[in-house]
Structures are given as structure tokens and as C-alpha cells.
Amino acid sequence: MMKQDKKYLLDSIRAIENFPKEGIVFRDITTLLNNKEAFSFLIDHLVEKYKNSNIDYIAGIESRGFIFGSALSAKLKLPFVPIRKPGKLPGKCLQEMYSLEYGQDVLEIHVDAFNNTKNARILLMDDLIATGGTAIAAVKLIQRLEANCIEACFLLNLKDLDGDKQLSQLTSVYSVLEV
């Protein structure tokens, strides 16, 4: 993606200073989602990037990963798999715990999410990567189902937090934008 294309997408994302607390710059993607040209441009870029990647499934992390992952899966005509917070999926699930700044959280995936296909090729999607804990937990869930996360894709990479470096020990990482 060319520099001016990245600037176009980044300019479509609102930056809110001191949210949710002092010193944080929150990247609000709702303005990108509300811009049909920018959102279509982003999805078209991802279609071009992944159309020949031999992907079997796209998995998205709750909740904003659902937006990008399901839009891309519809365009590529691939099944979409949600990775969710506990208690949201109705079937039998695997859980993976991960650390937060002050505590822990859990992600879940259905045990038959990839239709019991061994070595299925999975593209993982979320809106941004910060410290990497959530994405690492999602990759571990995919691996526990004997599938292969071929890449984790994010709209935004918050570079100063080094989550991409941690995650790259488990899978390839692609970010459309870096801030």
C-alpha cells in the first residue's frame, strides 16, 4: 500500500486524546467504518493481499475483529470463525487465558470451529495490536485445534507497545497502518 493510501486510511480514523484515561490516544475506528469509501478501500486492499493465500478460514477476535474478518470472508467467499469472550458461544469450547495490565481475561473458540479439519489454514483478524496478549491467546486457540494460523492481520499496530514482536514468535504479522 502506498504512503498516500495509508495516510487516507489513517486520516479516516479519529484520534481521541486522554481516553479512556489521561495520556492515552484512543484510535476510534468508528469514523472509518462510517466512511463507505475508506472502509471499501480497506477491504479491497485486504482482498488483493489475501485472495491467493490459500486460506481455509478467517477468524476474528471479538468484537471489532468480527467487522473486518466477516467483511473479508464474504468477499473471499470463506467461512468466518468468531473468537469470543467467555459465555458467548453456545457450543463446546476451548478456552485460553491471557494477561492484561491488571489481571487476566479469557478467549474461547468452538471445538469444531474448523470442522475438525487438521492443518486448516487460518487468517486471524482484529482491529489493532497493542501488547499482543489477546492475539497470542487467539493464535494458541487456533493451534490447539490443530490448525495453522498463517498470519495475523490488523488495521492498526501500536508500535511502541511491541505486541507485534511478541506475536511474530507464533505467526506472521501484517498491519495495514502503524502508529
Side-chain angles (χ1 to χ4, degrees), residues 33-91:
L33 299 173
N34 197 14
N35 179 332
K36 63 185 178 188
E37 289 84 12
F39 185 63
S40 292
F41 180 79
L42 171 65
I43 297 302
D44 289 346
H45 165 71
L46 295 174
V47 166
E48 281 302 307
K49 176 167 178 47
Y50 292 111
K51 68 182 180 184
N52 296 316
S53 296
N54 196 26
I55 298 166
D56 298 312
Y57 295 85
I58 296 176
I61 301 171
E62 184 170 338
S63 65
R64 291 170 298 220
F66 293 1
I67 297 166
F68 301 108
S70 61
L72 182 59
S73 69
K75 289 278 194 172
L76 293 176
K77 298 183 181 355
L78 292 170
F80 177 78
V81 172
I83 297 176
R84 302 210 60 189
K85 300 288 183 179
K88 304 289 184 179
L89 294 171

Side-chain angles (χ1 to χ4, degrees), residues 154-171:
F154 305 93
L155 170 60
L156 288 166
N157 178 4
L158 305 181
K159 285 296 285 182
D160 290 347
L161 299 177
D162 288 333
D164 60 327
K165 291 178 184 166
Q166 299 295 319
L167 183 59
S168 67
Q169 295 174 26
L170 296 175
T171 190

Side-chain angles (χ1 to χ4, degrees), residues 3-37:
K3 188 175 183 178
Q4 70 263 21
D5 296 333
K6 290 182 179 194
K7 182 179 180 341
Y8 169 66
L9 288 175
L10 192 57
D11 287 349
S12 73
I13 299 169
R14 177 173 41 199
I16 301 174
E17 293 190 24
N18 301 314
F19 182 84
K21 64 182 185 177
E22 191 72 28
I24 303 287
V25 178
F26 183 81
R27 303 297 173 164
D28 180 14
I29 66 161
T30 62
T31 51
L32 179 142
L33 299 173
N34 197 14
N35 179 332
K36 63 185 178 188
E37 289 84 12

Side-chain angles (χ1 to χ4, degrees), residues 93-106:
C93 295
L94 290 179
Q95 291 189 335
E96 186 70 34
M97 190 174 291
Y98 62 99
S99 295
L100 300 169
E101 186 176 354
Y102 298 105
Q104 295 186 327
D105 210 343
V106 175

